[in-house]
Coordinates of all heavy atoms in Angstrom, one line a residue:
V163 N 10.3 52.2 -83.9 CA 9.5 51.2 -83.2 C 9.0 50.3 -84.4 O 9.2 49.0 -84.2 CB 8.5 51.7 -82.3 CG1 7.7 50.5 -81.8 CG2 9.1 52.5 -81.2
D164 N 8.4 50.8 -85.5 CA 7.9 49.9 -86.4 C 8.9 49.0 -87.0 O 8.8 47.8 -87.1 CB 7.2 50.8 -87.5 CG 5.9 51.4 -87.0 OD1 5.6 51.3 -86.0 OD2 5.4 52.2 -87.8
E165 N 10.1 49.7 -87.3 CA 11.2 48.9 -87.9 C 11.8 47.9 -87.0 O 12.0 46.7 -87.3 CB 12.3 49.7 -88.5 CG 13.3 48.8 -89.3 CD 14.2 49.6 -90.2 OE1 14.0 50.9 -90.4 OE2 15.0 49.0 -91.0
A166 N 11.8 48.2 -85.7 CA 12.4 47.2 -84.8 C 11.5 46.1 -84.6 O 11.8 45.0 -84.4 CB 12.5 48.0 -83.4
L167 N 10.2 46.3 -84.7 CA 9.1 45.2 -84.6 C 9.2 44.3 -85.8 O 9.0 43.1 -85.7 CB 7.8 45.7 -84.4 CG 7.4 46.3 -83.1 CD1 6.0 47.1 -83.1 CD2 7.4 45.3 -81.9
T168 N 9.5 45.0 -86.9 CA 9.8 44.3 -88.0 C 11.0 43.2 -88.0 O 10.8 42.3 -88.5 CB 9.9 45.3 -89.4 OG1 8.9 46.1 -89.5 CG2 10.2 44.5 -90.6
V169 N 12.0 43.7 -87.3 CA 13.1 42.8 -87.0 C 12.8 41.8 -86.3 O 13.2 40.6 -86.5 CB 14.4 43.8 -86.4 CG1 15.3 42.8 -85.8 CG2 14.8 44.8 -87.4
L170 N 11.8 42.0 -85.1 CA 11.5 40.8 -84.4 C 10.6 39.8 -85.2 O 10.8 38.6 -85.0 CB 10.7 41.4 -83.1 CG 11.4 42.0 -82.0 CD1 10.4 42.4 -81.0 CD2 12.5 41.2 -81.6
R171 N 9.9 40.3 -86.0 CA 9.1 39.5 -87.0 C 10.1 38.6 -87.8 O 9.8 37.5 -88.1 CB 8.1 40.2 -87.8 CG 7.3 39.3 -88.7 CD 6.3 40.0 -89.7 NE 7.3 40.8 -90.7 CZ 6.8 41.3 -91.8 NH1 5.5 41.3 -92.0 NH2 7.5 42.0 -92.6
E172 N 11.2 39.2 -88.4 CA 12.0 38.4 -89.1 C 12.7 37.3 -88.3 O 12.9 36.2 -88.8 CB 13.2 39.4 -89.6 CG 12.8 40.6 -90.6 CD 12.4 40.0 -91.9 OE1 13.2 39.3 -92.5 OE2 11.2 40.2 -92.4
F173 N 13.0 37.6 -87.0 CA 13.6 36.6 -86.1 C 12.5 35.4 -86.1 O 12.9 34.2 -86.0 CB 13.9 37.2 -84.7 CG 15.1 38.1 -84.8 CD1 15.0 39.2 -83.8 CD2 16.0 38.0 -85.7 CE1 16.0 40.0 -83.8 CE2 17.1 38.9 -85.6 CZ 17.1 39.9 -84.6
A174 N 11.2 35.7 -85.9 CA 10.1 34.8 -85.6 C 9.8 33.9 -86.8 O 9.7 32.6 -86.7 CB 9.0 35.5 -85.1
Y175 N 9.7 34.5 -88.0 CA 9.3 33.7 -89.1 C 10.2 33.6 -90.3 O 10.0 32.7 -91.2 CB 8.0 34.6 -89.7 CG 6.8 34.7 -88.7 CD1 6.0 35.9 -88.8 CD2 6.6 33.8 -87.6 CE1 5.0 36.0 -88.0 CE2 5.6 34.0 -86.8 CZ 4.7 35.2 -87.0 OH 3.7 35.2 -86.0
F176 N 11.2 34.6 -90.4 CA 11.9 34.6 -91.7 C 13.4 34.5 -91.5 O 14.1 35.0 -92.5 CB 11.5 35.9 -92.5 CG 10.1 36.0 -92.7 CD1 9.4 37.2 -92.2 CD2 9.4 35.1 -93.3 CE1 8.0 37.3 -92.5 CE2 8.0 35.2 -93.6 CZ 7.4 36.3 -93.0
T177 N 13.9 33.9 -90.6 CA 15.4 33.7 -90.5 C 15.9 32.9 -91.6 O 15.4 31.9 -91.8 CB 15.9 33.1 -89.0 OG1 15.5 34.0 -88.0 CG2 17.3 32.8 -89.0
R178 N 16.9 33.4 -92.2 CA 17.4 32.6 -93.4 C 18.6 31.6 -92.9 O 19.4 32.0 -92.1 CB 18.1 33.6 -94.5 CG 18.3 32.9 -95.8 CD 18.9 33.9 -96.8 NE 20.3 34.1 -96.4 CZ 21.2 35.1 -96.9 NH1 20.5 35.8 -97.9 NH2 22.2 35.3 -96.7
I179 N 18.3 30.3 -93.3 CA 19.3 29.4 -92.7 C 19.8 28.6 -94.0 O 19.3 27.6 -94.4 CB 18.6 28.4 -91.7 CG1 17.9 29.2 -90.6 CG2 19.6 27.5 -91.2 CD1 17.0 28.3 -89.7
S180 N 20.8 29.2 -94.4 CA 21.5 28.6 -95.7 C 22.9 28.0 -95.2 O 23.4 28.3 -94.2 CB 21.8 29.6 -96.8 OG 22.8 30.5 -96.4
E181 N 23.4 27.0 -96.0 CA 24.7 26.5 -95.8 C 25.7 27.6 -95.6 O 26.7 27.6 -94.8 CB 25.1 25.5 -96.8 CG 24.3 24.2 -96.8 CD 24.4 23.4 -95.5 OE1 25.6 23.7 -94.8 OE2 23.7 22.5 -95.2
E182 N 25.7 28.5 -96.5 CA 26.6 29.8 -96.4 C 26.5 30.5 -95.3 O 27.6 30.8 -94.6 CB 26.4 30.6 -97.7 CG 27.4 31.8 -97.8 CD 27.1 32.7 -98.9 OE1 26.2 32.5 -99.7 OE2 27.8 33.8 -99.1
D183 N 25.3 30.9 -94.7 CA 25.1 31.5 -93.5 C 25.7 30.8 -92.3 O 26.4 31.3 -91.5 CB 23.7 31.8 -93.3 CG 22.9 32.6 -94.5 OD1 23.7 33.6 -94.9 OD2 21.8 32.5 -94.7
L184 N 25.4 29.5 -92.3 CA 25.8 28.7 -91.3 C 27.3 28.6 -91.2 O 27.9 28.6 -90.1 CB 25.0 27.3 -91.4 CG 25.5 26.1 -90.4 CD1 25.1 26.6 -89.0 CD2 24.8 24.8 -90.6
D185 N 27.9 28.3 -92.3 CA 29.4 28.2 -92.4 C 30.0 29.6 -91.8 O 31.1 29.4 -91.1 CB 29.9 27.9 -93.6 CG 29.6 26.4 -94.1 OD1 29.4 25.6 -93.2 OD2 29.5 26.1 -95.4
K186 N 29.4 30.6 -92.0 CA 30.0 31.9 -91.5 C 29.9 32.0 -90.1 O 30.8 32.7 -89.4 CB 29.3 33.1 -92.2 CG 29.7 33.3 -93.7 CD 29.1 34.6 -94.2 CE 29.3 34.9 -95.6 NZ 28.6 36.2 -96.2
E187 N 28.9 31.4 -89.5 CA 28.6 31.6 -88.1 C 29.2 30.5 -87.2 O 29.2 30.7 -86.1 CB 27.1 31.7 -88.0 CG 26.6 32.3 -86.6 CD 26.9 33.9 -86.5 OE1 27.3 34.4 -87.6 OE2 27.1 34.5 -85.4
R188 N 29.5 29.4 -87.8 CA 30.0 28.2 -87.0 C 31.1 28.6 -85.9 O 31.1 28.4 -84.9 CB 30.5 27.1 -87.9 CG 29.5 26.4 -88.6 CD 30.1 25.1 -89.3 NE 29.2 24.6 -90.3 CZ 28.3 23.8 -90.2 NH1 28.1 23.3 -88.9 NH2 27.6 23.3 -91.2
K189 N 32.2 29.4 -86.6 CA 33.3 29.6 -85.7 C 33.0 30.7 -84.6 O 33.6 30.6 -83.5 CB 34.5 30.2 -86.6 CG 35.2 29.1 -87.3 CD 36.6 29.6 -87.9 CE 37.3 28.4 -88.7 NZ 38.5 28.9 -89.3
V190 N 32.1 31.7 -84.9 CA 31.6 32.6 -83.9 C 31.0 31.8 -82.7 O 31.2 32.1 -81.5 CB 30.6 33.6 -84.5 CG1 30.0 34.5 -83.4 CG2 31.2 34.3 -85.6
V191 N 30.1 30.9 -83.0 CA 29.5 30.1 -82.0 C 30.5 29.2 -81.3 O 30.5 29.1 -80.0 CB 28.4 29.2 -82.6 CG1 27.7 28.3 -81.5 CG2 27.3 30.0 -83.2
L192 N 31.4 28.6 -82.0 CA 32.5 27.9 -81.3 C 33.4 28.7 -80.5 O 33.8 28.3 -79.4 CB 33.4 27.3 -82.4 CG 33.1 25.9 -83.1 CD1 33.9 25.5 -84.2 CD2 33.0 24.8 -82.0
E193 N 33.7 30.0 -80.7 CA 34.4 30.9 -79.8 C 33.5 31.1 -78.6 O 34.1 31.3 -77.5 CB 34.7 32.2 -80.6 CG 35.8 32.0 -81.6 CD 37.0 31.2 -81.1 OE1 37.4 31.5 -79.9 OE2 37.4 30.3 -81.7
E194 N 32.2 31.3 -78.7 CA 31.4 31.4 -77.6 C 31.4 30.2 -76.8 O 31.5 30.4 -75.5 CB 30.0 31.7 -77.9 CG 29.1 32.1 -76.7 CD 27.7 32.5 -77.1 OE1 27.4 32.6 -78.3 OE2 26.9 32.7 -76.2
W195 N 31.5 29.0 -77.5 CA 31.6 27.7 -76.6 C 32.9 27.6 -76.0 O 32.9 27.1 -74.8 CB 31.4 26.5 -77.7 CG 31.6 25.2 -77.2 CD1 30.7 24.4 -76.6 CD2 32.8 24.6 -77.2 NE1 31.3 23.3 -76.1 CE2 32.7 23.2 -76.6 CE3 34.2 24.8 -77.6 CZ2 33.6 22.3 -76.4 CZ3 35.2 23.8 -77.5 CH2 34.9 22.7 -76.9
R196 N 33.9 28.1 -76.6 CA 35.3 28.0 -76.1 C 35.5 29.0 -74.8 O 36.1 28.6 -73.8 CB 36.3 28.4 -77.1 CG 37.8 28.0 -76.8 CD 38.7 28.4 -77.8 NE 38.1 28.5 -79.3 CZ 38.4 27.4 -80.0 NH1 38.9 26.2 -79.5 NH2 37.9 27.4 -81.3
E197 N 34.7 30.2 -74.9 CA 34.8 31.1 -73.7 C 34.2 30.4 -72.6 O 34.5 30.8 -71.4 CB 34.1 32.4 -74.1 CG 34.9 33.2 -75.1 CD 34.3 34.6 -75.4 OE1 33.4 35.0 -74.6 OE2 34.6 35.2 -76.4
S198 N 33.2 29.7 -72.6 CA 32.6 28.8 -71.5 C 33.4 27.9 -70.9 O 33.1 27.5 -69.8 CB 31.2 28.3 -72.0 OG 31.4 27.2 -72.7
K199 N 34.5 27.5 -71.5 CA 35.3 26.4 -71.1 C 36.4 27.0 -70.1 O 37.6 26.9 -70.3 CB 36.0 25.7 -72.2 CG 35.0 25.0 -73.1 CD 34.3 24.0 -72.3 CE 33.3 23.2 -73.0 NZ 32.4 22.3 -72.3
N200 N 36.0 27.5 -68.9 CA 36.8 27.9 -67.8 C 36.5 27.1 -66.6 O 35.6 26.3 -66.5 CB 36.8 29.4 -67.6 CG 35.4 30.0 -67.4 OD1 34.7 29.2 -66.9 ND2 35.2 31.2 -67.8
A201 N 37.2 27.4 -65.5 CA 36.9 26.7 -64.2 C 35.4 26.7 -63.7 O 34.8 25.7 -63.5 CB 37.9 27.2 -63.1
Q202 N 34.9 28.0 -63.9 CA 33.5 28.2 -63.4 C 32.6 27.5 -64.3 O 31.6 27.0 -63.9 CB 33.2 29.6 -63.3 CG 33.8 30.3 -62.0 CD 33.6 29.6 -60.8 OE1 32.4 29.4 -60.5 NE2 34.5 29.5 -59.9
G203 N 32.8 27.6 -65.6 CA 32.0 26.9 -66.6 C 32.0 25.4 -66.4 O 30.9 24.8 -66.5
R204 N 33.2 24.8 -66.1 CA 33.2 23.4 -65.9 C 32.5 23.0 -64.5 O 31.8 22.0 -64.5 CB 34.6 23.0 -65.8 CG 35.2 22.9 -67.3 CD 36.7 22.3 -67.2 NE 37.6 23.1 -66.5 CZ 38.3 24.1 -66.9 NH1 38.3 24.4 -68.2 NH2 39.1 24.8 -66.2
L205 N 32.5 23.8 -63.5 CA 31.9 23.7 -62.2 C 30.4 23.7 -62.4 O 29.7 22.8 -62.0 CB 32.3 24.7 -61.2 CG 31.6 24.6 -59.9 CD1 31.8 23.3 -59.2 CD2 32.1 25.9 -59.1
F206 N 29.9 24.6 -63.4 CA 28.4 24.7 -63.6 C 28.0 23.5 -64.3 O 26.9 22.8 -63.9 CB 28.1 25.9 -64.5 CG 26.7 26.0 -64.8 CD1 25.7 26.4 -63.8 CD2 26.2 25.6 -66.0 CE1 24.3 26.5 -64.2 CE2 24.9 25.7 -66.4 CZ 24.0 26.1 -65.4
E207 N 28.8 22.9 -65.3 CA 28.4 21.7 -65.9 C 28.3 20.6 -64.9 O 27.4 19.7 -65.0 CB 29.5 21.4 -67.0 CG 29.6 22.4 -68.1 CD 30.8 22.2 -69.0 OE1 31.4 21.1 -68.8 OE2 31.2 23.1 -69.8
D208 N 29.3 20.4 -64.2 CA 29.3 19.3 -63.2 C 28.1 19.4 -62.3 O 27.5 18.4 -61.8 CB 30.6 19.1 -62.4 CG 31.8 18.8 -63.3 OD1 31.5 18.4 -64.3 OD2 32.9 19.0 -63.0
Y209 N 27.9 20.7 -61.8 CA 26.7 20.8 -60.8 C 25.4 20.5 -61.4 O 24.6 19.8 -60.8 CB 26.9 22.4 -60.5 CG 25.6 22.8 -59.8 CD1 25.2 22.4 -58.5 CD2 24.8 23.9 -60.2 CE1 24.1 22.7 -57.8 CE2 23.7 24.3 -59.5 CZ 23.4 23.7 -58.4 OH 22.2 24.3 -57.6
I210 N 25.2 21.0 -62.6 CA 23.8 20.5 -63.4 C 23.8 19.1 -63.5 O 22.7 18.4 -63.4 CB 23.7 21.4 -64.6 CG1 23.5 22.8 -64.3 CG2 22.4 20.8 -65.3 CD1 22.3 23.2 -63.5
N211 N 24.9 18.4 -63.9 CA 24.9 17.0 -64.1 C 24.5 16.2 -62.8 O 23.8 15.3 -62.8 CB 26.3 16.5 -64.6 CG 26.5 16.7 -66.1 OD1 25.5 16.6 -66.8 ND2 27.7 17.0 -66.5
A212 N 25.1 16.6 -61.7 CA 24.7 16.1 -60.5 C 23.3 16.3 -60.0 O 22.6 15.4 -59.5 CB 25.7 16.5 -59.4
L213 N 22.9 17.5 -60.1 CA 21.5 17.9 -59.6 C 20.4 17.3 -60.4 O 19.4 16.9 -59.8 CB 21.4 19.4 -59.8 CG 20.3 20.1 -58.9 CD1 20.5 20.0 -57.5 CD2 20.2 21.5 -59.2
C214 N 20.7 17.1 -61.7 CA 19.6 16.7 -62.5 C 19.8 15.3 -63.1 O 19.3 14.9 -64.3 CB 19.2 17.6 -63.7 SG 19.0 19.4 -63.1
K215 N 20.6 14.6 -62.6 CA 21.0 13.3 -63.0 C 19.9 12.4 -63.4 O 18.9 12.2 -62.6 CB 21.9 12.5 -62.0 CG 22.6 11.3 -62.4 CD 23.4 10.7 -61.4 CE 24.0 9.3 -61.8 NZ 24.9 8.7 -60.9
G216 N 19.8 11.8 -64.6 CA 18.7 10.9 -65.0 C 17.6 11.6 -65.7 O 16.6 11.0 -66.0
C217 N 17.9 12.9 -66.1 CA 16.8 13.5 -66.9 C 17.3 14.5 -68.0 O 18.6 14.6 -68.0 CB 15.8 14.4 -66.0 SG 16.6 15.8 -65.3
K218 N 16.6 15.1 -68.8 CA 16.9 15.9 -69.9 C 17.8 17.1 -69.7 O 18.6 17.7 -70.4 CB 15.8 16.3 -70.8 CG 15.2 15.2 -71.7 CD 16.1 15.2 -73.0 CE 15.3 14.3 -74.0 NZ 15.8 14.2 -75.2
W219 N 17.5 17.6 -68.4 CA 18.2 19.0 -68.1 C 19.7 18.8 -68.1 O 20.3 19.8 -68.5 CB 17.6 19.4 -66.6 CG 16.2 19.6 -66.7 CD1 15.2 18.8 -66.1 CD2 15.6 20.8 -67.0 NE1 14.0 19.5 -66.2 CE2 14.2 20.8 -66.8 CE3 16.0 22.0 -67.6 CZ2 13.3 21.7 -67.0 CZ3 15.1 23.1 -67.9 CH2 13.7 22.8 -67.5
C220 N 20.3 17.7 -67.6 CA 21.7 17.7 -67.6 C 22.3 17.2 -69.0 O 23.5 17.2 -69.2 CB 22.2 16.8 -66.5 SG 21.7 15.0 -66.6
E221 N 21.4 16.7 -70.0 CA 21.9 16.3 -71.2 C 21.7 17.3 -72.3 O 22.1 17.1 -73.5 CB 21.1 15.2 -71.5 CG 21.1 14.0 -70.5 CD 20.1 12.8 -70.8 OE1 19.4 13.0 -71.8 OE2 20.1 11.8 -70.0
R222 N 21.1 18.4 -72.0 CA 20.9 19.4 -73.0 C 21.2 20.9 -72.7 O 20.3 21.7 -72.7 CB 19.3 19.5 -73.4 CG 18.9 18.1 -74.1 CD 19.4 17.9 -75.4 NE 19.0 16.7 -76.0 CZ 19.5 15.5 -75.8 NH1 20.7 15.4 -75.0 NH2 19.1 14.4 -76.3
L223 N 22.5 20.9 -72.2 CA 23.0 22.3 -71.8 C 23.0 23.2 -73.1 O 23.4 22.7 -74.1 CB 24.4 22.2 -71.2 CG 24.2 21.6 -69.6 CD1 25.6 21.2 -69.1 CD2 23.5 22.5 -68.7
P224 N 22.6 24.5 -73.0 CA 22.4 25.4 -74.2 C 23.5 25.5 -75.1 O 23.2 25.6 -76.3 CB 21.8 26.6 -73.6 CG 21.2 26.3 -72.2 CD 22.2 25.1 -71.7
I225 N 24.7 25.4 -74.6 CA 25.8 25.9 -75.5 C 26.2 24.8 -76.5 O 26.8 25.0 -77.5 CB 27.2 26.3 -74.7 CG1 28.1 27.0 -75.5 CG2 27.7 25.0 -74.0 CD1 27.7 28.3 -76.0
G226 N 25.7 23.6 -76.2 CA 25.7 22.5 -77.2 C 27.1 21.7 -77.2 O 27.9 21.9 -76.3
K227 N 27.3 21.0 -78.2 CA 28.5 20.1 -78.4 C 29.4 20.5 -79.5 O 28.9 21.0 -80.6 CB 28.2 18.5 -78.5 CG 27.4 18.0 -77.3 CD 27.0 16.6 -77.7 CE 28.1 15.7 -78.1 NZ 27.6 14.3 -78.3
E228 N 30.7 20.5 -79.3 CA 31.6 21.0 -80.3 C 31.3 20.3 -81.6 O 31.3 21.0 -82.7 CB 33.0 20.7 -79.9 CG 34.1 21.4 -80.7 CD 35.4 21.1 -80.3 OE1 35.6 20.3 -79.4 OE2 36.4 21.8 -80.8
D229 N 31.2 18.9 -81.6 CA 31.0 18.2 -82.9 C 29.8 18.6 -83.7 O 29.8 18.6 -84.9 CB 31.2 16.8 -82.8 CG 30.1 16.2 -81.8 OD1 29.6 17.0 -80.9 OD2 29.8 14.9 -81.8
V230 N 28.8 18.9 -82.9 CA 27.4 19.3 -83.6 C 27.6 20.7 -84.2 O 27.2 21.0 -85.3 CB 26.3 19.3 -82.5 CG1 25.0 19.9 -83.2 CG2 26.1 17.9 -82.0
I231 N 28.3 21.7 -83.3 CA 28.4 23.1 -83.9 C 29.3 22.9 -85.2 O 29.0 23.7 -86.2 CB 29.1 23.9 -82.8 CG1 28.2 24.0 -81.6 CG2 29.4 25.2 -83.4 CD1 28.9 24.7 -80.5
K232 N 30.2 22.1 -85.3 CA 31.2 22.0 -86.5 C 30.4 21.3 -87.6 O 30.8 21.7 -88.8 CB 32.4 21.3 -86.0 CG 33.4 22.0 -85.1 CD 34.6 21.1 -84.9 CE 35.6 22.0 -84.1 NZ 36.9 21.2 -83.9
G233 N 29.6 20.3 -87.4 CA 29.1 19.5 -88.5 C 27.6 19.6 -88.8 O 27.3 18.9 -89.8
V234 N 26.8 20.1 -88.0 CA 25.3 20.1 -88.3 C 25.0 20.8 -89.6 O 25.7 21.7 -89.9 CB 24.5 20.8 -87.1 CG1 24.8 22.3 -87.1 CG2 23.2 20.4 -87.1
S235 N 23.9 20.3 -90.3 CA 23.7 20.8 -91.6 C 22.6 21.9 -91.4 O 21.9 21.9 -90.5 CB 23.1 19.7 -92.4 OG 21.8 19.3 -92.0
A236 N 22.5 22.7 -92.4 CA 21.5 23.8 -92.5 C 20.0 23.2 -92.5 O 19.1 23.8 -92.0 CB 21.8 24.7 -93.6
Q237 N 20.0 22.0 -93.2 CA 18.7 21.5 -93.2 C 18.2 21.0 -92.0 O 16.8 21.2 -91.6 CB 18.7 20.2 -94.2 CG 17.4 19.5 -94.4 CD 16.3 20.3 -94.8 OE1 16.5 21.1 -95.8 NE2 15.1 20.1 -94.2
T238 N 19.0 20.5 -91.1 CA 18.7 20.2 -89.7 C 18.3 21.3 -88.9 O 17.1 21.3 -88.3 CB 19.9 19.5 -88.9 OG1 20.3 18.4 -89.6 CG2 19.5 19.1 -87.5

Side-chain angles (χ1 to χ4, degrees):
V163 174
D164 289 356
E165 185 163 1
L167 287 171
T168 302
V169 167
L170 290 186
R171 184 187 63 172
E172 295 289 306
F173 294 149
Y175 300 151
F176 305 123
T177 295
R178 193 180 74 187
I179 306 173
S180 67
E181 289 292 348
E182 182 184 0
D183 297 326
L184 179 57
D185 288 340
K186 285 182 179 179
E187 202 67 19
R188 285 187 201 275
K189 284 189 176 181
V190 175
V191 179
L192 275 173
E193 287 314 310
E194 187 177 355
W195 174 87
R196 203 186 315 276
E197 287 184 17
S198 72
K199 295 300 179 181
N200 53 29
Q202 289 301 322
R204 290 186 292 271
L205 174 60
F206 177 78
E207 296 170 11
D208 291 345
Y209 168 60
I210 295 297
N211 277 327
L213 191 67
C214 304
K215 185 177 181 180
C217 70
K218 283 274 191 178
W219 294 100
C220 64
E221 300 170 0
R222 296 292 182 267
L223 291 166
I225 196 66
K227 295 175 64 177
E228 182 180 16
D229 59 338
V230 174
I231 298 171
K232 288 181 175 179
V234 69
S235 69
Q237 179 56 43
T238 301

